[in-house]
Amino acid sequence: MADVFSLVANAITFKLMNEAIDDGPDSMPHDQVQWADRLQAISAPAQLVMLLAAAVAFLVWFHQVRTNAEVFRPGGHRMRRGWTVWGWFVPVVSLWFPKKIANDIWTASLPYGPDGSPRHAPRTVMNWWWGLWIATLVVGRVGGQLDAKAWTLEQLRFSSGVLFVADAVDIAAAVLAVLFVRRLTALQHEKVQQGPVPVAAPIAA
């Protein structure tokens, strides 16, 4: 919801700056300027609060599914369990450590097929979520820096456009994060229900 507020605010700001460039600063409706400022004032702290709440919930879940995965496959993890949390905060390595851990969790969580081997499950949702998450970090950071340095109408229009894209990508990443959580949780639940590795049926002579 906070991203939607920010998306609308940046869209309004972009429109106002575009009109001001074409028709002059006096063409900007005062009520729309106030509305955009009000949305920005609401969305900025709301985004921070929602991000912190979502981050805590996600990290608790991520740590739990990693713990489960170690039970499923004790020797199939390349990173220590502590990296499920710290991997998100350490500069540079945060760009690939969490995905590396998620790949190992996914592999360990695959339910068994009829022959006792792990069943194939496409990682499409996980891969798209991670790609959009990285894109959100990059575009959001660039947009924030541009906005902080914007003084002219053209600069304000460009920065609001970049921030609009960042919000749109962030919303898409959030949706895919929910789908990823649901999919991986479902895989683990199914594997728990299966119990020990099923024994393949003997081949008839």
Side-chain angles (χ1 to χ4, degrees), residues 36-170:
D37 289 341
R38 193 174 297 116
L39 284 177
Q40 293 283 11
I42 294 173
S43 65
Q47 279 184 307
L48 178 59
V49 171
M50 293 297 293
L51 175 62
L52 291 176
V56 170
F58 183 87
L59 287 177
V60 170
W61 170 82
F62 198 55
H63 188 271
Q64 183 58 57
V65 293
R66 166 56 189 270
T67 302
N68 296 342
E70 289 181 11
V71 176
F72 300 146
R73 191 180 182 187
H77 303 276
R78 293 168 288 178
M79 310 294 298
R80 293 183 181 273
R81 191 187 303 177
W83 283 108
T84 58
V85 175
W86 298 116
W88 296 89
F89 300 101
V90 178
V92 182
V93 301
S94 61
L95 297 177
W96 80 85
F97 271 27
K99 179 58 164 58
K100 190 175 182 179
I101 295 169
N103 284 336
D104 291 342
I105 295 173
W106 187 278
T107 299
S109 303
L110 292 174
Y112 304 115
D115 61 350
S117 62
R119 194 178 71 224
H120 175 68
R123 304 184 185 190
T124 307
V125 170
M126 180 176 65
N127 292 335
W128 273 101
W129 155 70
W130 183 253
L132 289 179
W133 167 249
I134 296 298
T136 297
L137 295 179
V138 173
V139 179
R141 184 176 181 83
V142 171
Q145 291 178 343
L146 290 173
D147 188 62
K149 298 177 181 179
W151 293 100
T152 67
L153 293 175
E154 289 80 4
Q155 290 173 336
L156 288 169
R157 179 179 64 178
F158 185 68
S159 64
S160 62
V162 174
L163 289 172
F164 177 89
V165 172
D167 289 331
V169 174
D170 195 34

Side-chain angles (χ1 to χ4, degrees), residues 24-37:
D26 294 336
S27 65
M28 293 189 296
H30 184 65
D31 58 336
Q32 290 190 26
V33 173
Q34 287 186 322
W35 175 238
D37 289 341

